């Protein structure tokens, strides 16, 4: 029986199927009833945010650690050992350590890409076989199908391990010395592959105030054409320090890609980005119903107003009240939310629309007793009184 395996990673979900380009964070595959080792996932996650080794490497220690690092990262596999090998260098402050880790990250991205391509090709063939009728499946085709299921499961597990290594390196770089982030951004910022640029966006947004991060974020969020890269940067704003990135998330509230826009709208409200108010209002005019609902939730949190999900009334309100907000987009006086008269419930369901239809059933069955007779101990299912 088939099951679904989902693997998370460095990048936010883009909703692609198994044929998505390498590095897509959420990939679904039909395989045998076999899942990625929970122990592996937990261990790699803990290792990724463990404290980096602070002891400095000298002489032969450095040579041995570098040799071990290069040997591990040259080929896929051993995710736990790779993470441990990388942690050794995050206590260093020399440029050679920064370059080595950046090289390792590029190699890991290459492993993910190759595994994803192999996975996609084999999955396509497996789906082709699964689509055949039973009478069409010869013994050789059935054997091929079972072999492919084993192979797909193995490739998915391998890919998950390499993706976790990438995630861990990004996490360690976000906490380590600035030199690591600067070097990683340098080698990934203009890379031809989108998932490498997505890594640059993730690393840059973890320290948006740094010299290397500021221009990189403009390129990777404002000017970037691939929505998956923009999404990686915007998603990282959920925990970004400072406020220099506020203008970037505000502009993404009108992003042409609905996935990027939806995340930006949510973060604008959660992080109370006042600069986003005019962008949110303008976006209402073209937003889908779902995104419009999210926009209004963020606007209500930022302004305390209870206006409906239409651009015109919000625009009029903003025109009359924008002088009450400072240059940073924050209200000069505290926001006081007012209750919404239309926020009513019917049988526990909150009404989210201004168009409601009531359907009344006046058929004969409605004349039946509302309360059934109590069931006795002798009554069984389907018997009188049940």
């Amino acid at each position: 029986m088939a099951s679904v395996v989902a693997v998370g990673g460095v990048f936010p979900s883009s909703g692609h199927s198994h044929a998505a380009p390498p590095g897509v964070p959420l990939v679904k595959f039909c395989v045998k009833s076999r899942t990625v080792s929970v122990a592996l996932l937990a261990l790699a996650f803990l290792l990724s945010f463990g404290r980096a080794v602070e002891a400095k490497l000298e002489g032969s220690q450095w040579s041995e650690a570098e040799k071990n690092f290069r040997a591990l990262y040259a080929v896929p596999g051993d995710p736990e050992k790779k993470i441990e090998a990388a942690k050794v260098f995050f206590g260093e402050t020399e440029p050679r350590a920064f370059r080595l880790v950046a090289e390792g990250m590029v190699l890991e991205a290459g492993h993910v890409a190759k595994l994803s391509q192999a996975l996609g090709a084999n999955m396509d063939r497996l789906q082709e076989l699964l689509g055949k009728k039973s009478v069409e499946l010869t013994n050789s085709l059935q054997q091929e199908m079972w072999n492919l299921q084993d192979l797909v499961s193995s490739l998915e597990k391998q890919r998950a391990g390499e993706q976790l290594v990438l995630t861990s390196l990004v996490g360690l770089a976000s906490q380590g010395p600035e030199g690591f982030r600067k070097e990683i951004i340098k080698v990934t910022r203009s890379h031809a592959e989108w998932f490498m640029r997505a890594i640059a966006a993730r690393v840059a947004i973890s320290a948006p105030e740094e010299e290397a991060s500021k221009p990189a974020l403009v390129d990777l969020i404002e000017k970037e054409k691939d929505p998956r890269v923009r999404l990686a940067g915007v998603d990282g704003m959920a925990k970004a320090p400072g406020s220099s990135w506020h203008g970037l998330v505000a502009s993404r509230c009108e992003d042409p890609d609905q996935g990027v826009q939806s995340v930006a709208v949510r973060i604008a409200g959660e992080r109370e980005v006042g600069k986003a108010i005019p962008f949110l209002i303008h976006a209402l005019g073209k937003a889908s119903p779902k995104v419009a609902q999210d926009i209004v939730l963020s606007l209500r949190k930022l302004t305390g107003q209870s206006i409906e999900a239409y651009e015109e009334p919000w625009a009029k309100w903003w025109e009359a009240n924008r002088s009450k907000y400072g240059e940073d987009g924050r209200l000069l006086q505290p926001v006081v939310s007012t209750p919404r008269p239309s926020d009513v419930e019917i049988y526990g369901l909150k009404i989210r629309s201004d168009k409601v239809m009531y359907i009344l059933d006046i058929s004969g069955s409605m004349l039946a007793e509302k309360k059934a007779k109590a069931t006795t101990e002798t009554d069984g299912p389907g018997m009188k009184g049940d």
Side-chain angles (χ1 to χ4, degrees), residues 4 23 26 115 204 207 211 214 385:
V4 174
L26 187 60
L115 288 168
E211 180 182 354
K214 291 180 179 179

Side-chain angles (χ1 to χ4, degrees), residues 246-313:
H246 282 195
L248 293 173
V249 76
S251 64
R252 291 308 94 202
C253 290
E254 295 187 84
D255 196 280
D257 182 85
Q258 185 170 312
V260 179
Q261 182 186 31
S262 182
V263 173
V265 166
R266 173 178 56 81
I267 291 174
E270 291 178 352
R271 298 296 304 271
E272 298 184 358
V273 181
K275 285 184 177 181
I277 293 175
F279 294 90
L280 290 168
I281 292 173
H282 190 260
L284 270 175
K286 298 180 180 180
S288 66
K290 175 62 176 68
V291 175
Q293 179 180 316
D294 294 339
I295 289 173
V296 170
L297 290 176
S298 290
L299 280 172
R300 288 174 182 170
K301 182 175 182 179
L302 291 169
T303 67
Q305 302 303 305
S306 59
I307 303 171
E308 295 289 348
Y310 299 104
E311 180 184 6
E312 184 177 357

